């Protein structure tokens, strides 16, 4: 089984993309790339991490724009591999966290928000795309990192 993992982390340096072959619960890294963000795009995301400077219209646009960045990262990752979209079984995309509050704070209920619209990825590539990993874990009382325990168990 071939999978692609996508991540845009707190460093805001770009999209990390990994092509992984999964065989009997073992993971073999086939290729890894980083698609670096432009300075303007990085600044726009950073501006929307702050209550005082965030704009709903820009967050909405960034949600879709980041989806296009993820699709471009997939294209760069598959370059020179001989693989096509149809060869990939699924994409797992964490997205970009712009708000994360796993515990009750005043009137704010535990919540989290990741941008990087998965529908952009799946529609443009026709690859099954799994996104939004944190939400169910927050609802279940977790910290919003549901993949860490299982991945560490499987890797170590």
């Amino acid at each position: 089984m071939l999978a692609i993992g996508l991540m845009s982390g707190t460093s805001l340096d770009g999209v990390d993309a990994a092509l992984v072959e999964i065989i009997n619960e073992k993971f073999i890294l086939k290729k890894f790339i980083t698609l670096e963000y432009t300075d303007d795009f990085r600044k726009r995301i950073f501006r929307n991490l702050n209550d005082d400077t965030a704009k709903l219209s820009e967050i909405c646009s960034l949600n879709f724009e980041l989806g296009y960045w993820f699709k471009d990262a997939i294209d760069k990752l598959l370059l020179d591999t001989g693989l096509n979209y149809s060869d990939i079984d699924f994409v797992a995309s964490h997205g970009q966290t712009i708000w994360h509050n796993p515990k009750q704070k005043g009137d704010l209920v535990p919540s989290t928000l990741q941008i990087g619209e998965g529908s952009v990825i799946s529609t443009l590539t026709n690859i099954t795309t799994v996104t939004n990993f944190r939400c169910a874990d927050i609802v279940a009382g977790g910290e919003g990192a549901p993949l860490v325990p299982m991945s560490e168990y499987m890797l170590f």
Side-chain angles (χ1 to χ4, degrees):
M1 174 181 295
L2 289 174
I4 293 175
L6 302 171
M7 175 75 172
S8 174
T10 54
S11 65
L12 299 178
D13 58 346
V15 178
D16 292 333
L19 175 63
V20 178
E21 185 173 13
I22 304 169
I23 303 172
N24 297 326
E25 297 186 5
K26 292 189 181 196
F27 303 90
I28 303 161
L29 180 64
K30 298 302 224 177
K31 186 175 179 183
F32 176 86
I33 60 102
T34 298
L35 179 62
E36 292 185 21
Y37 293 142
T38 62
D39 286 339
D40 176 64
F41 189 70
R42 181 182 304 108
K43 287 175 186 174
R44 290 174 54 229
I45 293 174
F46 187 76
R47 180 171 57 239
N48 284 282
L49 299 177
N50 184 306
D51 279 341
D52 296 328
T53 56
K55 292 177 62 177
L56 290 175
S57 58
E58 197 165 40
I59 291 170
C60 187
S61 181
L62 286 168
N63 182 40
F64 276 71
E65 289 176 61
L66 192 54
Y68 289 108
W69 277 91
F70 287 152
K71 186 267 187 195
D72 291 345
I74 291 170
D75 291 344
K76 182 178 177 183
L77 183 68
L78 293 180
L79 197 66
D80 300 325
T81 64
L83 299 170
N84 298 305
Y85 296 151
S86 60
D87 298 314
I88 306 303
D89 294 289
F90 68 92
V91 170
S93 178
H94 178 275
Q96 173 66 54
T97 302
I98 62 169
W99 176 255
H100 188 66
N101 177 42
K103 301 296 178 200
Q104 182 89 28
K105 288 183 184 170
D107 292 339
L108 299 177
V109 299
S111 57
T112 188
L113 180 63
Q114 282 68 232
I115 60 173
E117 183 57 50
S119 295
V120 173
I121 302 165
S122 64
T123 298
L124 297 178
T125 64
N126 202 33
I127 303 171
T128 298
T129 303
V130 183
T131 63
N132 215 1
F133 305 134
R134 289 185 182 265
C135 291
D137 192 58
I138 295 285
V139 172
E143 293 290 322
L147 301 181
V148 174
M150 181 55 122
S151 63
E152 287 182 355
Y153 172 78
M154 294 178 85
L155 291 171
F156 303 112

